Amino acid sequence: MLKLGVLGSGRGSNFVAIADAIEAGKLDAEIRVVGSDFSDAPILDEARRRGYEVYGCPKSQFKTKLEPEIETELAQVLLDAKVEVVVLAGFMRVIKAPLLEAFPKRIINIHPSLLPDFKGLEAWKQALEAGVAETGCTVHWVNEEIDGGAILGQEKVPVEEGDTAERLHARIQVAEHELYPAVLKHLAAQWKGEV
Ligand code: GRF
């Protein structure tokens, strides 16, 4: 069974979608540990409530990355938990060498746009401002280039007349909650040599 480590910084709605799929027997995977860069993040409360092992990083002095020693410790926690694939679910730090080297080609992320369009922060706002007819979400492998790794799956979301950033983001999140478990299901089958 594919062993996952989930990392998130906030609400963790993608974590919930993945955990629900596993708990309902729809995704043959196991969540070994849930980690966050904030020890008081709601995602950790939800993980605790569901009985998963949790880990909160010590406070970082940076906003968009972690100190190398904090990231090294996080990588060690995931290794100790025998994690095979690291699932970023709203983890708002740039992944650097400590995690990339501990999990080479084994970290995946979900991004709220149809990559390679609208990399970076608040991608749904970027899409709205660019006036595109559709946007969506992408699950991709993580490498040293931000939002730049190979694409594993995408789901389109049309931009509607009169959309606000909030409404568009909410619909993209609904698509994310379908896409992430579906991509993981495919990955889990590949892991077992079924596809
Ligand atoms: C999602 O929109 C995801 O695309 C982005 O961060 C957000 C996380 O949301 N990477 P949640 O914490 O899973 O609710």
Side-chain angles (χ1 to χ4, degrees), residues 33-48:
V33 62
V34 179
S36 181
D37 47 336
F38 295 108
S39 55
D40 59 352
I43 187 174
L44 295 187
D45 295 334
E46 178 64 17
R48 258 186 227 105

Side-chain angles (χ1 to χ4, degrees), residues 11-18 21 110 137 170-182:
R11 213 155 62 89
S13 69
N14 280 285
F15 156 65
V16 167
I18 294 164
I110 189 155
C137 50
R171 289 205 314 288
I172 291 172
Q173 285 228 292
V174 173
E176 289 181 344
H177 302 157
E178 293 289 321
L179 180 66
Y180 224 168

Side-chain angles (χ1 to χ4, degrees), residues 117-134:
D117 292 340
F118 312 122
K119 295 178 176 180
L121 292 176
E122 299 192 318
W124 61 91
K125 255 191 207 164
Q126 297 182 46
L128 200 60
E129 280 160 17
V132 293
E134 65 178 13

Side-chain angles (χ1 to χ4, degrees), residues 94-95 100 109 115-116 119 140-150:
V94 178
I95 303 298
L100 288 172
N109 181 43
L115 288 172
K119 295 178 176 180
H140 63 94
W141 289 112
V142 172
N143 60 16
E144 54 292 322
E145 191 198 331
I146 295 174
D147 303 325

Side-chain angles (χ1 to χ4, degrees), residues 99-119:
L99 272 166
L100 288 172
E101 284 168 14
F103 293 92
K105 296 205 181 81
R106 287 195 287 135
I107 306 176
I108 65 175
N109 181 43
I110 189 155
H111 181 78
S113 77
L114 296 175
L115 288 172
D117 292 340
F118 312 122
K119 295 178 176 180

Side-chain angles (χ1 to χ4, degrees), residues 114 124 127-128 131-137 155-165 167-175:
L114 296 175
W124 61 91
L128 200 60
V132 293
E134 65 178 13
T135 180
C137 50
E155 183 82 35
K156 291 177 180 163
V157 175
V159 179
E160 290 173 0
E161 191 79 26
D163 250 345
T164 60
R167 271 182 45 188
L168 180 57
H169 187 213
R171 289 205 314 288
I172 291 172
Q173 285 228 292
V174 173

